[in-house]
């Protein structure tokens, strides 16, 4: 069975074989799993944008996390932190979404251009009611994108903005004409227009973006989208606001009434440890029951994506409209003692496991998913990076992105996985998750696996059908002794990717010894 198989069937697909291995001088139980990968065929192309990111004006994501200002003692280039730029550049992130999120529908872009000392301040009513000085605006965001080598995904203001405001913003960013907005951009120091690849027409219009009904938003989308123009050879990929979680009716209405006007339709899905928005659960200090419950909620995104994809298929059998999962990740209670409106949470090995599970699921829907954006990049929710003034650390989730970046732009290889179960009480999930892809240019094969079990390792017996004359290239592992293990500013490398020694290749047979609680990526070249 492949990864699209029913979760219940997968759980019961194989008996759990127990073995023992010596790990750190102790005898630890180990299970076995059988994996078969067909290297002679491909299923779909993994769009690099599946590894996208999201930076909202929320808490300390932008201000302090990315922007410190040119006069800051923190090393920066034109006000943007050098350490954060270097870390994000190393991830090779393909696309960055900005300025929101809920913030997008109260953001008026003209307040964020021109001399910074003359820009009017604004209240961030959604996130902590802080007053922002608008020093980080369009020019600064586009500068950031150029620094890290990523495409820009800008979310437009539908909730409190006007059609003219949105139209003029696109003209300001992309037009090379002798026109009012292009000339205004030139007056503000940028002669050449930017490339704007992705534009979102509103955000969460069912909630913070206007509390609209899908029928109403479908008409609003058609109106606003009409004025998102293509200037000077720039081709905008237009993204409509999609559903919240399992609201399949929203997707049905939007696809029926507006599909031909859009290139992509978004979906948002967050993993709540408890499933309760009022008491989501802590980022660390959880027990094993809370850990597995969180993974169950994370795996539910497979069903959500599958059902939305089925609805989209009814109206778009050619899969022209891409699914854009532009907000995903674990959302816990804010760290004690921090502003609850800043959504600052620690990032643990549990979050790394969740990231790996998500990528493996995204790959199974590569024929439909065009982009995904984790929430968020710095200091907010499931962040890649945490900062404390001049200090910066990379989180366990950062390292999963780093290990999986080789899958960007590859072709998915069909696989069958027979794995045992990871069980806590009466809750059971597949112990191991896997994905495989091939680089269409080099022919290199990348295999990534997640072992969810906190106590048992797993010996993977992998048949690589059609493989000849290959060797193991790079191999990396991310693991920890506890699910809530995390990095701190005093111990920034407590959880980090390391070389993996547990891979052996003999002809077309690959054996992998996964530690408990681990993410592994192996290159076959």
């Amino acid at each position: 069975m492949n990864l699209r198989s029913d979760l219940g069937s997968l759980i019961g697909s194989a008996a759990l074989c127990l073995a023992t291995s010596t790990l750190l001088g102790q005898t630890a139980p180990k299970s076995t799993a059988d994996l078969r990968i067909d290297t002679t065929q491909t299923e779909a192309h993994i769009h690099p944008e599946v590894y996208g990111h999201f930076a909202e004006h929320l808490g300390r994501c932008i201000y302090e996390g990315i922007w410190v200002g040119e006069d800051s003692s923190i090393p920066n280039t034109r006000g943007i932190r050098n350490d954060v730029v270097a870390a994000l550049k190393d991830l090779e992130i393909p696309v960055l979404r900005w300025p929101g999120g809920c913030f997008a529908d109260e953001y008026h872009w003209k307040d964020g251009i021109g001399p910074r000392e003359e820009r009017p301040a604004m209240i961030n009513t959604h996130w902590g009611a802080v007053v922002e000085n608008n020093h980080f605006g369009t020019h600064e965001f586009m500068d950031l994108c150029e620094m890290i080598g990523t495409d820009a995904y800008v979310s437009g203001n539908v909730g409190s903005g006007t059609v003219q405001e949105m139209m003029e913003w696109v003209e300001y960013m992309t037009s090379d004409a002798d026109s009012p907005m292009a000339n205004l951009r030139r007056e503000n120091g940028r002669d050449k227009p930017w490339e704007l690849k992705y534009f979102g027409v509103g955000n969460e219009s069912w909630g913070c973006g206007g509390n609209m009904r899908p029928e109403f938003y479908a008409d609003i989308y058609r109106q606003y989208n009409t004025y998102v123009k293509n200037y000077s050879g720039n081709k905008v990929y237009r993204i409509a606001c999609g559903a919240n979680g399992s609201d399949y009716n929203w997707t049905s209405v939007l696809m029926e009434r507006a599909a031909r006007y859009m290139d992509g339709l978004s979906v948002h899905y967050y993993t709540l440890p408890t499933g309760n928005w009022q008491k989501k659960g802590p980022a660390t200090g959880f027990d094993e029951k809370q850990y597995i419950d969180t993974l169950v909620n994370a795996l539910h995104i497979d069903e959500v994506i599958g059902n939305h994809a089925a609805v989209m298929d009814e109206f778009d059998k050619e899969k022209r409209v891409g699914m854009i999962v532009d907000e995903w990740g674990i959302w816990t209670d804010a760290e004690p003692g921090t502003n609850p409106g800043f959504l600052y949470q620690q990032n643990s090995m549990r979050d790394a496991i969740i990231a790996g599970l998500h990528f493996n699921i995204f790959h199974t829907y590569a024929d439909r998913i065009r982009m995904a954006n984790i929430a968020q990049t710095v200091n907010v929710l499931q962040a890649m990076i945490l900062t404390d003034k001049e200090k910066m650390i990379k989180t366990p989730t950062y390292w999963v992105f780093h290990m999986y970046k080789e899958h960007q732009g590859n072709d998915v290889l069909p696989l069958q996985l027979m794995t045992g179960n990871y069980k806590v009480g009466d809750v059971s999930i597949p112990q191991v998750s896997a994905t495989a892809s091939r680089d269409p240019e080099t022919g290199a094969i990348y295999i990534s696996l997640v072992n969810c079990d906190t106590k048992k390792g797993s010996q993977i017996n992998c048949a690589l059908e059609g493989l000849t004359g290959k060797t193991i290239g790079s191999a990396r592992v991310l693991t920890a002794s506890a699910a809530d293990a995390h990095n701190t500013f005093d111990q920034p490398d407590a959880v980090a990717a390391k070389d993996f020694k547990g891979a052996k290749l003999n002809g077309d047979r690959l054996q992998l010894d996964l530690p408990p609680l681990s993410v592994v990526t192996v290159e076959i070249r």
Side-chain angles (χ1 to χ4, degrees):
M1 65 187 70
N2 59 35
L3 290 180
R4 288 187 189 273
S5 299
D6 177 77
L7 184 59
S9 298
L10 186 57
I11 290 172
S13 65
L16 187 63
C17 301
L18 295 179
T20 59
S21 66
T22 301
L23 180 65
L24 300 178
Q26 297 181 348
T27 300
K30 184 188 294 184
S31 69
T32 62
D34 293 321
L35 177 62
R36 187 167 74 250
I37 300 172
D38 187 347
T39 69
T40 68
Q41 302 183 49
T42 58
E43 291 187 325
H45 181 73
I46 302 169
H47 293 281
E49 293 83 0
V50 167
Y51 291 87
H53 295 254
F54 172 32
E56 182 173 3
H57 286 247
L58 198 173
R60 294 186 299 113
C61 181
I62 298 297
Y63 295 102
E64 188 195 311
I66 292 173
W67 176 262
V68 292
E70 294 170 305
D71 297 331
S72 174
S73 61
I74 297 172
N76 69 85
T77 300
R78 296 184 295 279
I80 297 171
R81 291 183 69 127
N82 292 343
D83 52 359
V84 170
V85 166
L88 295 180
K89 193 171 183 178
D90 195 34
L91 283 186
E92 300 176 13
I93 70 174
V95 61
L96 182 62
R97 181 176 183 240
W98 171 87
C102 292
F103 181 83
D105 282 288
E106 63 180 27
Y107 180 67
H108 299 281
W109 68 272
K110 287 184 179 178
D111 293 340
I113 60 173
R116 294 193 190 99
E117 64 276 7
E118 297 178 10
R119 299 180 188 179
M122 65 172 290
I123 300 175
N124 190 332
T125 63
H126 287 292
W127 307 119
V130 296
V131 177
E132 298 197 6
N133 58 20
N134 270 316
H135 283 191
F136 189 92
T138 302
H139 288 252
E140 291 76 18
F141 172 67
M142 290 299 194
D143 193 13
L144 170 66
C145 290
E146 291 181 341
M147 285 184 187
I148 62 179
T150 191
D151 287 325
Y153 171 12
V154 172
S155 296
N157 184 343
V158 170
S160 68
T162 65
V163 173
Q164 180 178 353
E165 181 180 17
M166 184 176 290
M167 179 178 69
E168 290 181 342
W169 198 9
V170 175
E171 178 189 344
Y172 183 89
M173 289 185 282
T174 64
S175 176
D176 196 30
D178 181 12
S179 66
M181 292 300 105
N183 288 334
L184 179 59
R185 183 193 67 244
R186 295 183 181 103
E187 290 174 15
N188 289 326
R190 174 78 182 197
D191 178 55
K192 182 181 177 182
W194 294 286
E195 179 183 2
L196 176 64
K197 197 166 184 179
Y198 303 100
F199 193 86
V201 181
N203 166 78
E204 294 192 355
S205 300
W206 40 262
C208 63
N211 287 304
M212 302 177 191
R213 296 177 301 112
E215 294 82 3
F216 183 80
Y217 173 73
D219 288 341
I220 288 290
Y221 172 82
R222 289 168 57 143
Q223 178 190 12
Y224 275 66
N225 176 71
T226 302
Y227 299 94
V228 178
K229 305 288 188 179
N230 291 322
Y231 297 97
S232 305
N234 184 80
K235 181 76 166 73
V236 178
Y237 185 98
R238 296 167 172 82
I239 299 170
C241 168
N244 177 27
S246 56
D247 184 357
Y248 308 118
N249 178 64
W250 183 284
T251 298
S252 179
V253 171
L254 263 293
M255 290 298 295
E256 180 181 14
R257 301 191 178 201
R260 69 190 183 98
Y261 301 101
M262 68 178 74
D263 299 302
L265 180 64
S266 72
V267 174
H268 291 178
Y269 181 84
Y270 285 100
T271 296
L272 307 184
T274 64
N276 181 354
W277 281 101
Q278 304 308 313
K279 185 65 177 176
K280 295 176 281 292
T284 58
F286 47 83
D287 60 23
E288 191 166 13
K289 178 63 165 61
Q290 292 170 312
Y291 166 73
I292 195 170
D293 286 345
T294 305
L295 297 194
V296 170
N297 292 336
L299 289 167
H300 182 61
I301 196 174
D302 192 349
E303 177 184 325
V304 170
I305 291 174
N307 289 342
H308 281 296
V311 174
M312 294 177 74
D313 287 348
E314 293 178 17
F315 300 93
D316 177 31
K317 292 180 173 56
E318 294 76 25
K319 301 183 189 295
R320 183 191 64 81
V321 179
M323 182 184 295
I324 312 295
V325 190
D326 56 15
E327 291 188 29
W328 68 270
I330 183 172
W331 191 325
T332 73
D333 294 332
E335 289 298 305
T338 66
N339 186 329
F342 283 7
L343 306 187
Y344 178 81
Q345 63 191 47
Q346 184 51 264
N347 192 284
S348 71
M349 188 65 207
R350 175 181 67 175
D351 304 342
I353 295 289
I354 287 171
L357 292 174
H358 274 66
F359 289 141
N360 293 354
I361 291 169
F362 291 160
H363 289 182
T364 69
Y365 296 98
D367 59 347
R368 176 59 82 179
I369 296 179
R370 182 66 174 78
M371 184 194 300
N373 309 76
I374 191 168
Q376 293 187 13
T377 308
V378 187
N379 289 332
V380 173
L381 298 177
Q382 192 172 350
M384 306 297 102
I385 292 167
L386 302 178
T387 68
D388 181 13
K389 301 180 177 62
E390 75 285 351
K391 298 178 182 179
M392 185 203 81
I393 57 175
K394 301 171 182 177
T395 68
T397 297
Y398 175 97
W399 289 112
V400 175
F401 270 81
H402 198 276
M403 292 164 61
Y404 271 70
K405 68 180 180 180
E406 303 298 345
H407 291 290
Q408 293 186 26
N410 288 1
D411 297 322
V412 178
L413 297 176
L415 61 78
Q416 294 178 321
L417 173 64
M418 303 290 285
T419 176
N421 305 332
Y422 166 51
K423 187 174 182 180
V424 179
D426 59 354
V427 180
S428 181
I429 63 173
Q431 180 186 352
V432 177
S433 169
T435 191
S437 71
R438 183 173 61 212
D439 187 318
E441 295 183 1
T442 68
I445 293 169
Y446 297 90
I447 304 168
S448 293
L449 305 104
V450 179
N451 181 7
C452 300
D453 200 305
T454 61
K455 299 181 179 65
K456 293 188 181 73
S458 182
Q459 179 178 300
I460 310 294
N461 301 307
C462 179
L464 297 166
E465 297 178 351
L467 186 78
T468 57
K470 298 290 187 177
T471 61
I472 294 176
S474 63
R476 304 280 278 169
V477 61
L478 183 74
T479 188
S481 59
D484 69 344
H486 56 275
N487 297 327
T488 66
F489 295 102
D490 293 327
Q491 293 183 305
D493 300 313
V495 184
K498 297 178 173 60
D499 289 341
F500 178 59
K501 304 299 184 182
K504 296 179 181 179
L505 179 64
N506 184 12
D508 64 352
R509 299 289 167 171
L510 175 67
Q511 182 174 307
L512 301 163
D513 286 320
L514 306 185
L517 199 66
S518 64
V519 181
V520 168
T521 294
V522 176
E523 176 194 27
I524 308 295
R525 62 186 179 191

